[in-house]
Amino acid sequence: MNITRENVDALNAVVKVDIAKEDYSDKVEKILTDYRKTANIPGFRKGHVPMGMVKKQYGKAVLVDEVNKLLQDALNKYLTEEKLDVLGQPLPKTQDEIDWDADKFSFEFELGLAPEFEVELKSKKAITQYHIIADDKMIDEQIERIQKQYGKLVSQDTVEVDSEITGTYTNEEKEIDNTVTITLDKFKGKATAKQFIGAKAGDVIVLKTKGLFEDDHDLMHALKLGHDEVHGLDIEVSFTISEINKRELADLDQDLFDKLFGKDGVTTVTELRDKIKEDAEKQFVQQADQKLLNDVTEHLVDNTKFDLPAEFLTKWMQTAGEKQIDADQAREEYEKSEKSLRYQLIEGKLIEGNNIQVTMDDIKNHAREMIKGQMAQFGQLNPSDKELDDIAARVLSNQDEARRISEQLVSQKLITLYKEKANIKVKELSYENFVKEVYGDK
């Protein structure tokens, strides 16, 4: 067997594999001999079929199968040994009808080669790393939510601005009949809320669904309909009030603190505020890090210049999926995925160049911490190591889940790298202002 490579250019190559008779003949002969022992052909005793007949009946199929196996093994071994960084998979070049009666065969494969390039993390313009803080306004709002959650309901005769109103949405045509508890701040328009002020149990409020809430999900919950059913829905619904209550705020005392954080975990309002601030800002770190990762990714893709074997990749995409697609569809698919492919190559270069590794121990420890956090939400604060190990083993037996955790850890390590080596400026702001700046004032 002989394998040669011709580099068409820096991004494309053709590999030629020549297979001689001696490369496959012994294997083919052995398989046909085994077939002869078990062949069941009328007129001949088992094991006594003439070899010529076996070769005539099975020879070509066995030859084709063995040559293809030999070809794939040889090509994969060659790519590994030559350390060729290929994109996609080798594509067999179109050739004339193969003469399987010949002794020698030649096959050619097109290769798309990964480009050579350098990644520069230090950009001229600094990339913002947000440090999101929980300001007094947010802490006050959280404390009020806690007081409402643990407070008690006091019955009211009429609806006021801060009332909790239980009632039923109905519409005969759409067969809507759903009982919910609402607060007036959920409605989009002030005019809607005004319709409720002063209303009593038994009163019926007629509402238009169009523009009733900011979010379709609120309308889905209110009417107990699916997303497709509420999208663009423009009908009238009746809301019949059955109960009106006001939630009396719980006192900020030790009894409440113990319910929230365990016995003497927090003992003063100041400690409560500090705890809320600490917990909130821990959650903000993940959101800020994701924003930083997105911004650095965008910067690297836009500013790391290299060519790709676009023609090869477009051709490869025609047969890479479950269903074959035509050339136009492949071009469209390539254009949609080019940016993602570029970042994969950049990320791979950064991982290799900075020796970023994720070990099995890293994955297990991350899974344990993730499970521990989930158990804590259900009041299981001190699980044993064996419990954590057993659950982690079950989670990681799912290859998709193990891969997801591994990718998550790689992202965390890349974020750490960016913070250390990229041109970063830190900007401190409240969560409210972060949302306005990053997502717009919605």
Side-chain angles (χ1 to χ4, degrees):
M1 185 183 300
N2 187 43
I3 303 180
T4 56
R5 181 175 85 248
E6 178 189 350
N7 290 329
V8 179
D9 53 40
L11 299 173
N12 295 274
V14 175
V15 168
K16 184 179 180 184
V17 183
D18 295 317
I19 298 178
K21 186 174 183 177
E22 56 266 25
D23 296 321
Y24 60 82
S25 57
D26 288 349
K27 183 69 173 174
V28 170
E29 195 69 26
K30 183 180 184 308
I31 292 172
L32 291 175
T33 300
D34 291 341
Y35 274 17
R36 185 185 180 211
K37 293 175 184 176
T38 57
N40 191 4
I41 296 177
F44 297 95
R45 283 187 298 134
K46 193 173 183 179
H48 291 271
V49 180
M51 193 61 171
M53 185 172 287
V54 173
K55 286 185 177 180
K56 185 176 180 181
Q57 188 162 346
Y58 301 108
K60 186 167 287 187
V62 172
L63 172 65
V64 171
D65 189 44
E66 287 307 309
V67 168
N68 278 326
K69 285 181 185 176
L70 192 63
L71 179 62
Q72 289 303 319
D73 289 345
L75 185 59
N76 291 336
K77 185 179 178 183
Y78 176 79
L79 295 179
T80 302
E81 289 179 348
E82 293 292 310
K83 297 179 180 177
L84 291 178
D85 194 0
V86 298
L87 301 178
Q89 295 291 330
L91 284 176
K93 288 192 74 172
T94 304
Q95 59 188 93
D96 296 332
E97 186 77 20
I98 298 172
D99 180 9
W100 291 105
D101 293 323
D103 289 337
K104 296 181 179 180
F105 307 100
S106 289
F107 302 91
E108 290 185 338
F109 293 85
E110 296 178 61
L111 302 182
L113 304 178
E116 290 292 329
F117 61 93
E118 297 298 325
V119 182
E120 179 54 64
L121 278 175
K122 286 285 186 186
S123 57
K124 290 182 180 178
K125 185 179 178 182
I127 297 170
T128 301
Q129 176 192 341
Y130 290 97
H131 177 213
I132 308 170
I133 60 170
D135 60 6
D136 288 340
K137 180 184 175 186
M138 169 174 273
I139 295 168
D140 290 341
E141 289 173 349
Q142 178 63 13
I143 288 174
E144 186 175 345
R145 278 194 291 271
I146 290 170
Q147 287 181 282
K148 283 183 178 179
Q149 181 183 346
Y150 288 90
K152 62 181 180 181
L153 290 177
V154 178
S155 179
Q156 292 180 295
D157 293 328
T158 60
V159 175
E160 297 177 6
V161 173
D162 55 356
S163 295
E164 292 187 12
I165 310 150
T166 300
T168 305
Y169 287 102
T170 55
N171 177 285
E172 285 188 21
E173 182 186 350
K174 293 288 184 180
E175 297 182 345
I176 295 167
D177 187 357
N178 189 43
T179 301
V180 293
T181 298
I182 62 171
T183 54
L184 298 183
D185 59 327
K186 283 288 186 181
F187 293 120
K188 184 176 180 180
K190 291 181 180 178
T192 303
K194 283 182 180 177
Q195 288 182 256
F196 283 83
I197 300 298
K200 299 178 180 179
D203 287 353
V204 178
I205 313 292
V206 177
L207 304 166
K208 286 188 174 294
T209 57
K210 185 177 181 181
L212 188 59
F213 299 103
E214 289 280 1
D215 192 334
D216 277 352
H217 288 90
D218 288 327
L219 191 58
M220 288 165 59
H221 172 70
L223 307 184
K224 207 173 183 180
L225 296 176
H227 185 272
D228 291 340
E229 294 174 289
V230 301
H231 186 66
L233 185 66
D234 188 7
I235 61 171
E236 285 189 346
V237 291
S238 297
F239 185 87
T240 304
I241 299 172
S242 57
E243 190 177 333
I244 307 164
N245 294 293
K246 182 175 182 177
R247 191 166 289 272
E248 193 174 89
L249 300 183
D251 291 331
L252 295 176
D253 55 18
Q254 194 60 48
D255 183 51
L256 177 61
F257 301 156
D258 289 348
K259 287 176 183 175
L260 293 171
F261 304 107
K263 180 68 174 169
D264 296 330
V266 164
T267 58
T268 66
V269 173
T270 300
E271 288 179 10
L272 172 66
R273 296 181 68 85
D274 290 343
K275 182 67 175 170
I276 290 172
K277 181 178 177 68
E278 179 187 350
D279 290 347
E281 290 178 357
K282 280 181 184 176
Q283 298 297 319
F284 296 154
V285 168
Q286 186 176 354
Q287 198 165 348
D289 280 353
Q290 186 60 52
K291 172 62 178 166
L292 177 63
L293 182 63
N294 294 344
D295 289 346
V296 176
T297 298
E298 197 76 26
H299 163 76
L300 290 174
V301 170
D302 290 344
N303 293 279
T304 307
K305 303 300 181 185
F306 54 82
D307 293 325
L308 289 169
E311 187 177 339
F312 168 84
L313 289 170
T314 303
K315 192 189 298 184
W316 170 69
M317 283 181 174
Q318 287 186 251
T319 56
E322 292 181 7
K323 293 182 180 179
Q324 191 159 334
I325 57 177
D326 61 33
D328 289 337
Q329 290 172 314
R331 274 191 291 273
E332 185 179 339
E333 190 66 28
Y334 173 74
E335 288 170 4
K336 285 194 293 186
S337 60
E338 182 185 355
K339 194 170 184 178
S340 173
L341 175 58
R342 286 183 176 277
Y343 182 66
Q344 286 176 27
L345 291 170
I346 292 167
E347 185 183 81
K349 181 77 77 172
L350 288 170
I351 289 170
E352 182 182 5
N354 293 277
N355 197 29
I356 292 174
Q357 297 178 353
V358 173
T359 66
M360 197 60 212
D361 282 344
D362 292 334
I363 295 172
K364 286 178 181 176
N365 290 334
H366 184 83
R368 279 170 54 96
E369 290 304 312
M370 180 180 71
I371 293 160
K372 198 172 179 180
Q374 290 171 350
M375 292 175 77
Q377 291 177 7
F378 295 96
Q380 294 176 266
L381 301 177
N382 294 300
S384 69
D385 287 340
K386 186 178 186 308
E387 280 182 291
L388 292 172
D389 287 339
D390 288 347
I391 298 172
R394 288 198 296 273
V395 169
L396 297 178
S397 66
N398 182 326
Q399 291 186 347
D400 290 338
E401 186 63 20
R403 188 182 304 112
R404 186 190 68 79
I405 291 174
S406 177
E407 290 170 355
Q408 199 174 61
L409 289 171
V410 169
S411 291
Q412 288 177 4
K413 289 176 183 281
L414 284 170
I415 289 168
T416 300
L417 175 71
Y418 297 155
K419 288 178 180 179
E420 291 173 355
K421 296 190 175 182
N423 183 9
I424 300 291
K425 66 174 182 182
V426 177
K427 184 172 184 178
E428 186 177 284
L429 73 181
S430 69
Y431 182 75
E432 183 179 358
N433 288 333
F434 169 77
V435 171
K436 287 179 182 178
E437 182 163 319
V438 173
Y439 306 108
D441 187 5
K442 296 181 181 180

